[in-house]
Amino acid sequence: MSSTPLASIKGLSKRFGGIAAVSDVSFDLVAGEVTALIGPNGAGKTTLINLVTGVLACDGGTISLEGEDITARPTHQRGTAGIARTYQTPQIAHGMSVLTNVMAGAYRFGQHGLLSSVFRPWVVMKENDEMAARAAQCLTRAGVAEQWWQRLATDLPYGLQRRVEIARSLAQDPKLLLLDEPAAGLNPSETADLSRLLSEIAADGRAVLLVEHDMGMVMSISSHIVVVNFGRKLAEGTPKDIASNKDVIAAYLGADEAVA
Amino acid sequence: MDTLLQILITGLVVGCIYGMAALGFTIVYNATKLINFANGEFLMLGGVLLACAAQAAKLPMSLALLLAVAGAALTGWLMQRCILDMAMARSSDPLTLVMLTIGVALALRGAAALAFGREITFVPEFGLLPLVLIGNVYIPSQGLWIIFVLALTSTVLWYMFSKTMFGKAMRAASQEPRAAALCGIEPKRAAAIAMTLAGALGGLAGAMLAPISAAFYENGIFLGLKGFAAAVAGGLGNPIGAIVGGLLIGVVESLSAGYVASGFKDAVGFILLILVLILRPQGLVGRAIVTRV
Amino acid sequence: MTTSTSNSNLRHDAVILAGLAVVLTLAELALTSQFHRSILILSMIHAIAAIGLTLLLGYAGQVSLGQGAFMGIGAYAAAFALQKLALPAPVALVAAVLLPGLLGFLIARPILRLSGHNLALGTLALGAVFFVVAAQWRSVTGGLDPGIVDLPSLAIAGFSHERILYILAGISLLSAIAVAVSLVDGRFGRGLMVLRTSELVAACMGVDTVRAKSMVFAIAAALSGLSGALLALYLRSFNASAFGVGLSIELLMMVILGSLSTVWGAIFGAFAIIVLPNLLEGFDHAKHLIYGLVMVGIMMFAPRGLGETLFRLVTRKRSVA
């Protein structure tokens, strides 16, 4: 597909105490494609997301976005640069409506900070309207019906909270979107909706990194799959390659099979 | 040299009180992970109750002391049973619980002011023990009492927590509530026992302190903060650290009163608390055995 | 998006603000009793500091048990500027906003590394340190006795000292509200509210959380400073005991009596805390006991604020930030 990747991860490592949570993992993320990151529980998938977003500092390796090394940048600068994420359990801000939650996601597009707020509130009001329009678009796209928008976000059912979270990350207009098990807890029809949505999001020209256990979903929407186990990259390739890879099958079925 | 020794002894005696306050605070923290802002009020209650029983009711000192300790312990038990149990079941938000204990502290202070008046009362020394004079350095009789009581209570507590089944179950209660329940101590009961112990310890410390620094309904804030400072300096959750931290704060305060300016001595312990919280949250004493929350 | 709801609360807030301005003006013209006027002045003054704490605690989720100290710093700064430097009152007020604001900003980075109960402990200790220093640093503060005495009267051209203070406090309060509501209305405020739930989420969406928290802490300190300076100007004599830990707790009471979700709650809370002791005979005697019990009750049954919970019960509306 496209020749230059949007983001590259090279030799990334992270240790917790004596345990290597991630060691020497490298792969590329290409704009317009869904890349899946799979592996057994505890393989280091969430740690990788935390390293890419800068929530954790890595012990070795580099992360670059659009050719620029961002390894040393703090989390908020990566957010501003266009890296957005969702969480294993939805992290919806309490005490805020659905719409405000998603408007908050558009933070990086605001021009007006503290001083403008105080001295030129009318500019901020206009900006709020723009952000609300953006948020409305994202909510519609993520499939959250308008009847919910003024409700407290934490009052929504679980499946809808997941959608609100995706809408919030879309409001950030991400170049790179990292999704941590977005299908967990969803029923089959919700999962199908989600698959369609994620394919569309990638088709916008964004790079999507999908951490997911639902193999049907992974196989159907990703162009590229990276398999990790015990913090190491085990295999990498197209869904077809991965489905027939012996190491991967062994890792998923257990060590006994690998020995035999 | 004599002056320095005298200052150190004064510091150690007051430090014993801070250590006892810190110990109660630590026992509660270890049982329920609660930071009890009302802990200082137990000391205030100990002092005020002793003053009331000994001065106003003219009871013999031993009986008055017993009443003071029992009163503070009962307060601790009631606080856990009537308020905290319910609140902990409703919310685990640390900020809500912190403000709740601040509310309890205010209420106790207010109740003490209403019940015992707003005067500063002085209590006679316990006596019996002599004033020890070594060269030009002396240890006051009440100071000996305080050192003796701290040694006794900490030994008893140490034995109870590390040698008996009951103590092991108490410790397990915070880490592994289900396992502790199997050993016969439910988390709720462990919480009530911990708060009662903290009340008793605080009451005892406050009563021991009353003869050297008077009893006053507003004493709780500063005594509580110094107890926190001691517990935090010793590494939050570490009982031995709490005592060492208490002695440390007492000595540092006493040194700054002796050599810098006596008026600022109260500030020294608080500044130490802020610095330790920010720079060394695992505490100054020993290695970090505490898991940070 | 339905057309009836606006994306900013500002229009709504502006209407209430104008209403409040009218009420305060009418009250000033109608008030004949010195006693009633003093209650209103004190309520307005304390509400300013409580608004700062609402921003910090309610919006950013950072507790401070040391706000009384910043009020004290404002009070002493104003007194120093008036007495020792012989500066005019408006300049003294500006100094009383800037100094605590700057100090707050400097302290914020280290102290806000703490969170939850450690932050409560740290700020409580900070407040206690301030009290000890204020009580001992006699050359500047006058200590506990006599403290600061005989600040100049602000009476000019037929306007009494009280009347001038009423106007000053009123303008300050209205400006503080205007600043606070516009601050929380834009993306800065939304960033804070996300930060309250999770700093990680806020950071990942691009909010510089350390900077945002420091700014709020500084603003809360500056508003406290303004409040303290007005109190100093009004009372004309005071000592360190006015700015002890008790004041910090009262400010906290004002916020939780009102609301943790809107700055308007602070006005209600401040009014309640100032009026009650003056209204009820013998209240002062049982003040701590009552405050304590009320605080316990609120934390158990209405942790987002008493006023807010009652308001929601009455209107049966789910609040939307």
Side-chain angles (χ1 to χ4, degrees), chain C residues 43-79:
Chain C
S43 302
M44 291 193 288
I45 288 176
H46 283 89
I48 296 169
I51 286 170
L53 187 55
T54 307
L55 292 178
L56 188 62
L57 177 64
Y59 281 86
Q62 311 293 314
V63 69
S64 169
L65 300 178
Q67 288 309 102
F70 292 111
M71 275 183 77
I73 293 169
Y76 285 116

Coordinates of all heavy atoms in Angstrom, one line a residue, chain C residues 43-79:
Chain C
S43 N -20.6 38.6 53.4 CA -20.9 37.5 52.5 C -20.3 37.7 51.2 O -19.7 36.8 50.6 CB -22.5 37.5 52.3 OG -23.1 37.3 53.5
M44 N -20.4 38.9 50.6 CA -19.8 39.1 49.3 C -18.3 38.9 49.3 O -17.7 38.2 48.4 CB -20.1 40.6 48.8 CG -21.5 40.8 48.5 SD -21.8 42.4 47.6 CE -21.5 43.6 48.9
I45 N -17.6 39.4 50.4 CA -16.2 39.2 50.5 C -15.8 37.7 50.5 O -14.9 37.2 49.8 CB -15.6 39.9 51.7 CG1 -15.7 41.4 51.5 CG2 -14.2 39.5 52.0 CD1 -15.3 42.3 52.7
H46 N -16.5 37.0 51.4 CA -16.1 35.5 51.5 C -16.5 34.8 50.2 O -15.8 33.8 49.9 CB -16.8 34.9 52.7 CG -16.1 35.3 54.0 ND1 -16.4 36.4 54.7 CD2 -15.1 34.7 54.6 CE1 -15.6 36.5 55.8 NE2 -14.8 35.5 55.7
A47 N -17.6 35.2 49.6 CA -18.0 34.5 48.4 C -16.9 34.5 47.3 O -16.7 33.5 46.6 CB -19.3 35.1 47.8
I48 N -16.1 35.6 47.3 CA -15.0 35.7 46.3 C -14.0 34.6 46.5 O -13.6 33.9 45.5 CB -14.3 37.1 46.4 CG1 -15.4 38.2 46.0 CG2 -13.1 37.1 45.4 CD1 -14.9 39.6 46.3
A49 N -13.6 34.4 47.7 CA -12.7 33.3 48.0 C -13.3 31.9 47.7 O -12.6 31.0 47.2 CB -12.1 33.4 49.4
A50 N -14.6 31.8 48.1 CA -15.3 30.5 47.9 C -15.4 30.2 46.4 O -15.3 29.0 46.0 CB -16.6 30.6 48.6
I51 N -15.6 31.2 45.6 CA -15.6 31.0 44.1 C -14.3 30.4 43.6 O -14.3 29.4 42.9 CB -15.9 32.3 43.4 CG1 -17.4 32.7 43.6 CG2 -15.6 32.2 41.9 CD1 -17.7 34.1 43.1
G52 N -13.2 30.9 44.1 CA -11.9 30.4 43.8 C -11.8 28.9 44.2 O -11.3 28.1 43.4
L53 N -12.2 28.6 45.4 CA -12.2 27.2 45.8 C -13.1 26.3 45.0 O -12.8 25.1 44.8 CB -12.5 27.1 47.3 CG -12.3 25.8 48.0 CD1 -10.9 25.2 47.8 CD2 -12.6 25.8 49.5
T54 N -14.2 26.8 44.6 CA -15.1 26.1 43.7 C -14.4 25.7 42.4 O -14.5 24.5 42.0 CB -16.4 26.8 43.4 OG1 -17.0 27.3 44.6 CG2 -17.4 26.0 42.7
L55 N -13.7 26.6 41.8 CA -13.0 26.3 40.6 C -12.0 25.2 40.9 O -11.8 24.2 40.1 CB -12.2 27.5 40.1 CG -13.0 28.7 39.6 CD1 -12.1 29.9 39.2 CD2 -13.9 28.3 38.4
L56 N -11.2 25.3 42.0 CA -10.2 24.4 42.3 C -10.7 23.0 42.7 O -10.3 22.0 42.1 CB -9.4 24.9 43.5 CG -8.1 24.2 43.8 CD1 -7.1 24.2 42.7 CD2 -7.4 24.8 45.0
L57 N -11.7 23.0 43.6 CA -12.2 21.7 44.1 C -13.3 21.1 43.2 O -13.3 20.0 42.9 CB -12.8 22.0 45.5 CG -13.4 20.8 46.2 CD1 -12.4 19.7 46.5 CD2 -14.0 21.2 47.6
G58 N -14.2 22.0 42.8 CA -15.4 21.5 42.1 C -15.0 21.2 40.6 O -15.4 20.1 40.1
Y59 N -14.3 22.1 40.0 CA -14.0 21.9 38.5 C -12.8 21.0 38.3 O -12.8 20.1 37.6 CB -13.9 23.2 37.8 CG -15.3 23.8 37.5 CD1 -15.9 24.6 38.4 CD2 -15.9 23.5 36.3 CE1 -17.2 25.1 38.2 CE2 -17.2 24.0 36.1 CZ -17.8 24.8 37.0 OH -19.0 25.2 36.7
A60 N -11.7 21.4 39.0 CA -10.4 20.7 38.7 C -10.2 19.5 39.7 O -9.3 18.7 39.5 CB -9.2 21.6 38.9
G61 N -11.1 19.4 40.7 CA -11.0 18.2 41.6 C -9.8 18.2 42.5 O -9.4 17.1 42.9
Q62 N -9.2 19.4 42.8 CA -8.1 19.4 43.6 C -8.5 20.1 45.0 O -8.9 21.2 45.0 CB -6.9 20.3 43.0 CG -6.6 19.9 41.6 CD -6.0 18.5 41.4 OE1 -5.1 18.1 42.2 NE2 -6.6 17.7 40.5
V63 N -8.3 19.4 46.1 CA -8.8 19.9 47.3 C -7.7 20.9 47.9 O -6.5 20.7 47.6 CB -9.1 18.8 48.3 CG1 -7.8 18.1 48.8 CG2 -9.8 19.3 49.5
S64 N -8.2 21.9 48.5 CA -7.2 22.8 49.3 C -7.8 23.1 50.6 O -8.9 23.6 50.7 CB -6.9 24.0 48.5 OG -6.2 24.9 49.4
L65 N -7.0 22.7 51.7 CA -7.4 23.1 53.0 C -6.6 24.3 53.5 O -6.4 24.5 54.7 CB -7.3 21.9 54.0 CG -8.1 20.7 53.6 CD1 -7.8 19.5 54.6 CD2 -9.6 21.0 53.6
G66 N -6.0 25.0 52.6 CA -5.1 26.1 52.9 C -5.5 27.4 52.3 O -4.7 28.4 52.3
Q67 N -6.8 27.5 51.8 CA -7.2 28.8 51.1 C -7.2 30.0 52.1 O -6.9 31.1 51.6 CB -8.6 28.6 50.5 CG -8.6 27.7 49.3 CD -7.5 28.1 48.3 OE1 -6.5 27.4 48.2 NE2 -7.8 29.1 47.5
G68 N -7.4 29.7 53.4 CA -7.4 30.8 54.3 C -6.0 31.5 54.3 O -5.9 32.7 54.6
A69 N -5.0 30.8 54.1 CA -3.6 31.4 54.1 C -3.5 32.4 52.9 O -2.9 33.5 53.1 CB -2.6 30.3 53.9
F70 N -4.1 32.1 51.8 CA -4.0 33.0 50.7 C -4.8 34.3 51.0 O -4.5 35.4 50.6 CB -4.4 32.4 49.4 CG -3.4 31.3 48.9 CD1 -3.8 30.0 48.9 CD2 -2.1 31.7 48.5 CE1 -2.9 29.0 48.5 CE2 -1.2 30.7 48.1 CZ -1.6 29.4 48.1
M71 N -6.0 34.1 51.7 CA -6.7 35.3 52.1 C -5.8 36.1 53.0 O -5.8 37.3 52.9 CB -8.0 34.8 52.9 CG -9.2 34.6 52.0 SD -10.7 34.2 52.9 CE -11.2 35.8 53.5
G72 N -5.1 35.4 53.9 CA -4.2 36.1 54.9 C -3.2 36.9 54.1 O -2.9 38.1 54.4
I73 N -2.5 36.2 53.1 CA -1.5 36.9 52.4 C -2.0 38.2 51.7 O -1.4 39.2 51.7 CB -0.9 35.9 51.3 CG1 -0.1 34.8 52.1 CG2 0.1 36.6 50.4 CD1 0.3 33.6 51.2
G74 N -3.2 38.0 51.1 CA -3.9 39.2 50.5 C -4.1 40.3 51.5 O -3.8 41.5 51.3
A75 N -4.6 39.9 52.7 CA -4.9 40.9 53.8 C -3.6 41.6 54.2 O -3.6 42.9 54.3 CB -5.5 40.2 54.9
Y76 N -2.5 40.9 54.5 CA -1.3 41.5 54.9 C -0.6 42.3 53.8 O -0.1 43.4 54.1 CB -0.3 40.4 55.4 CG -0.7 39.9 56.8 CD1 -1.1 38.6 57.0 CD2 -0.8 40.8 57.9 CE1 -1.4 38.1 58.2 CE2 -1.2 40.3 59.2 CZ -1.5 39.0 59.3 OH -1.9 38.5 60.5
A77 N -0.8 41.8 52.6 CA -0.2 42.6 51.4 C -0.9 43.9 51.3 O -0.2 45.0 51.2 CB -0.3 41.8 50.1
A78 N -2.2 43.9 51.4 CA -3.0 45.2 51.4 C -2.6 46.1 52.5 O -2.3 47.3 52.3 CB -4.4 44.9 51.4
A79 N -2.5 45.5 53.7 CA -2.2 46.4 54.9 C -0.8 46.9 54.7 O -0.6 48.1 55.0 CB -2.2 45.5 56.2

